[in-house]
Amino acid sequence: MDREVCKMNGDPFQETMYIEDNTYKNDMISLIFSLKEKVGALAKVLRIFEEKSINLTHIESRPSRVTKDEYEFFINLDSRNIPLLTDIVKTLRNEIGATVHELSRKKKKDAVPWFPRTIQELDRFANQILSYGAELDADHPGFKDPVYRARRKEFADIAYNYRHGQPIPKVTYTEEEKKTWGTVFRELKTLYPTHACYEHNHVFPLLEKYCGYQEDNIPQLEDVSRFLQTCTGFRLRPVAGLLSSRDFLAGLAFRVFHSTQYIRHGSRPMYTPEPDVCHELLGHVPLFADISFAQFSQEIGLASLGAPDEYIEKLATVYWFTVEFGLCKEGDALKAYGAGLLSSFGELQYCLSDKPEIQSLNLEKTAVQKYPVTEFQPLYYVAESFKNAKEKVRRFASTIPRPFFVRYNPYTQRIEVLDNAKQLKNLAESISSEMGTLCSALKKIE
């Protein structure tokens, strides 16, 4: 959908290729600013750049999608103008009355890192994996197995060629792969009744019934994704390996989970140095079918959009200690809800023993806690409930230094940036409509 002209509220607009890839190249900085539609407005801005000897390398415009009678302008500046950047932004805001956003993936003072605004824009970074994919590290169990390496390339090719909106290609798994899955499935299923949280145990039989979760069958991502969409609106997207924290968390904002499709090496079925289809389907998927957990996960993703790098690291750490390795209260007992626990036979038993340290979830503390990645966790955090954890994430998000707030519009599958009165008015009207529905429903059941 790179240059497809879409319509919103009847008005055509150019999809956000408006924020080009060169917005984060080293030799360029980019700005978006909006101006009232009046004669000479742009000329006045260009005169300011000329007076300051600013070299504009690109400029384009479009009618504002947010405010009537305004135009938005996207410009690229030569990197030699960086020393003047603060002065430029101040002049545009104070003298011209423009709304200004700086766009950059490299952290600069007052910069807003690029983030996807539409679900289609996830295509732009889905293949920017950090490790694994078709290539394996020397200590990977499958490193010396040419058949396994070739197989991994097949899975990587599926992910590389996938685009949003397409059905996820089905895979014919080999007998060896199904045997590996069966070993993991059988062992973990014996622990779930006593160790997994209620939400996981409630959904798991539904996955067996509708998605082919069986000891002798590896479920297809497309089938599972369709099931999740009917439950909570979450969907799966194939990925070849590990994404950066920023890119991975951005997917959650759209209720998209980037999932691997390959399986661990058969020589060590109870061990994997990376996420695989066992981890994704047995650990993550059951919880994404729960409404409260889906909302909690999306809140982490929304908090990451436009956040500075240091806060991305904090949010990734929160994700690690919750979605991956979280415990929750269930009456007087503790249960596991983290996918890293629910997909590990050994750590699922260990986390509920008397060996690790257990603390209540406190995001200010959790967000900066160090953790090992190649051994069992020495410390786990306990959530009172998913609803309580979601509210903590929202409060934590309010402390992130960014000049706006965001919300996800599930009807348009777009991120709405709440940074002006018009957007807030639209949100208030939407909330008012929902409250009206709630009040009417309450009267029906009185």
Side-chain angles (χ1 to χ4, degrees):
M1 195 172 176
D2 284 352
R3 294 195 178 273
E4 179 182 347
V5 176
C6 300
K7 280 200 169 187
M8 176 175 285
N9 299 326
D11 298 324
F13 65 93
Q14 185 73 28
E15 210 29 91
T16 54
M17 277 300 291
Y18 199 42
I19 303 176
E20 298 282 357
D21 287 339
N22 59 16
T23 58
Y24 50 86
K25 287 184 178 178
N26 292 332
D27 60 349
M28 203 163 292
I29 51 178
S30 302
L31 298 175
I32 283 183
F33 60 90
S34 58
L35 298 172
K36 291 285 186 182
E37 183 182 359
K38 58 183 179 180
V39 177
L42 179 59
K44 188 174 182 180
V45 171
L46 295 178
R47 191 157 48 247
I48 291 175
F49 288 123
E50 182 180 2
E51 291 172 354
K52 296 180 181 296
S53 299
I54 301 298
N55 181 28
L56 298 185
T57 60
H58 179 80
I59 182 169
E60 60 182 278
S61 66
R62 69 178 178 193
S64 174
R65 301 194 304 267
V66 176
T67 306
K68 188 178 180 181
D69 299 327
E70 281 193 2
Y71 268 78
E72 294 177 348
F73 297 88
F74 173 79
I75 60 175
N76 285 335
L77 314 178
D78 191 288
S79 62
R80 288 171 292 184
N81 300 134
I82 288 178
L84 299 173
L85 187 59
T86 301
D87 188 38
I88 294 169
V89 172
K90 183 178 179 180
T91 300
L92 289 173
R93 286 173 175 164
N94 297 341
E95 296 185 19
I96 306 297
T99 301
V100 186
H101 292 297
E102 181 188 345
L103 304 167
S104 174
R105 273 184 180 250
K106 294 183 71 63
K107 187 177 183 302
K108 307 183 186 76
K109 185 179 180 181
D110 297 328
V112 176
W114 179 90
F115 59 88
R117 297 282 290 274
T118 70
I119 196 169
Q120 292 85 359
E121 286 185 324
L122 299 183
D123 289 344
R124 294 180 59 182
F125 58 71
N127 293 331
Q128 297 176 13
I129 60 174
L130 302 179
S131 60
Y132 295 114
E135 299 300 322
L136 304 178
D137 287 346
D139 59 351
H140 192 286
F143 180 73
K144 296 181 179 180
D145 184 342
V147 175
Y148 182 79
R149 291 173 68 95
R151 184 66 165 155
R152 284 292 294 268
K153 185 179 185 307
E154 293 178 29
F155 287 108
D157 288 343
I158 290 174
Y160 286 140
N161 292 313
Y162 179 81
R163 295 296 179 270
H164 172 74
Q166 298 174 346
I168 303 173
K170 293 186 180 295
V171 173
T172 301
Y173 288 99
T174 67
E175 290 304 314
E176 182 178 355
E177 288 168 339
K178 288 189 283 189
K179 180 180 178 182
T180 300
W181 162 272
T183 299
V184 178
F185 182 92
R186 182 174 59 255
E187 296 295 332
L188 286 171
K189 193 176 177 182
T190 63
L191 293 179
Y192 288 156
T194 54
H195 289 66
C197 64
Y198 165 81
E199 291 78 2
H200 186 281
N201 286 328
H202 174 71
V203 171
F204 203 82
L206 300 177
L207 293 169
E208 291 179 307
K209 181 177 181 180
Y210 296 111
C211 298
Y213 272 57
Q214 301 295 336
E215 185 177 329
D216 60 354
N217 178 68
I218 303 177
Q220 297 292 333
L221 294 194
E222 177 66 16
D223 296 337
V224 176
S225 185
R226 289 182 180 277
F227 173 80
L228 289 178
Q229 288 177 60
T230 65
C231 295
T232 62
F234 249 93
R235 69 184 71 206
L236 303 182
R237 178 186 176 118
V239 68
L242 295 174
L243 292 171
S244 71
S245 295
R246 183 181 293 280
D247 290 343
F248 178 80
L249 294 177
L252 296 180
F254 294 86
R255 297 205 173 197
V256 172
F257 180 74
H258 288 82
S259 173
T260 55
Q261 206 169 9
Y262 53 79
I263 196 165
R264 62 195 65 183
H265 194 262
S267 64
R268 299 183 66 183
M270 303 309 291
Y271 167 79
T272 178
E274 58 185 324
D276 75 331
V277 74
C278 297
H279 172 77
E280 320 287 36
L281 297 185
L282 298 175
H284 282 293
V285 162
L287 272 298
F288 283 133
D290 177 77
I291 293 176
S292 292
F293 184 83
Q295 292 174 335
F296 164 65
S297 301
Q298 186 177 31
E299 285 296 331
I300 298 177
L302 290 169
S304 76
L305 300 180
D309 290 345
E310 59 269 29
Y311 279 86
I312 292 295
E313 183 178 353
K314 291 179 178 180
L315 288 168
T317 302
V318 169
Y319 179 91
W320 177 271
F321 281 112
T322 55
V323 180
E324 288 291 352
F325 291 97
L327 300 178
C328 62
K329 286 187 177 180
E330 215 167 88
D332 295 329
L334 294 182
K335 300 291 182 177
Y337 72 88
L341 303 175
L342 294 168
S343 60
S344 170
F345 184 79
E347 192 160 6
L348 185 53
Q349 297 175 83
Y350 165 84
C351 71
L352 298 180
S353 70
D354 58 1
K355 296 178 181 178
E357 181 181 354
I358 305 295
Q359 294 185 16
S360 296
L361 184 64
N362 179 330
L363 295 197
E364 287 71 22
K365 184 176 181 180
T366 305
V368 296
Q369 177 65 48
K370 301 300 181 183
Y371 56 85
V373 296
T374 58
E375 58 190 58
F376 291 172
Q377 301 300 302
L379 169 65
Y380 298 99
Y381 288 97
V382 179
E384 295 291 329
S385 67
F386 296 142
K387 181 180 178 181
N388 178 261
K390 179 184 68 177
E391 292 306 317
K392 288 183 177 181
V393 170
R394 283 184 175 173
R395 289 196 294 271
F396 185 76
S398 68
T399 68
I400 297 175
R402 54 183 181 179
F404 52 81
F405 207 76
V406 296
R407 71 183 290 262
Y408 177 64
N409 186 325
Y411 304 110
T412 61
Q413 297 183 322
R414 294 179 62 89
I415 296 297
E416 296 178 353
V417 177
L418 306 177
D419 62 351
N420 59 67
K422 176 64 174 177
Q423 289 281 45
L424 297 181
K425 181 182 178 182
N426 290 342
L427 176 59
E429 290 175 351
S430 175
I431 293 173
S432 177
S433 176
E434 293 295 327
M435 288 298 295
T437 301
L438 175 61
C439 292
S440 297
L442 288 173
K443 290 179 181 179
K444 292 288 185 181
I445 62 176
E446 286 179 351

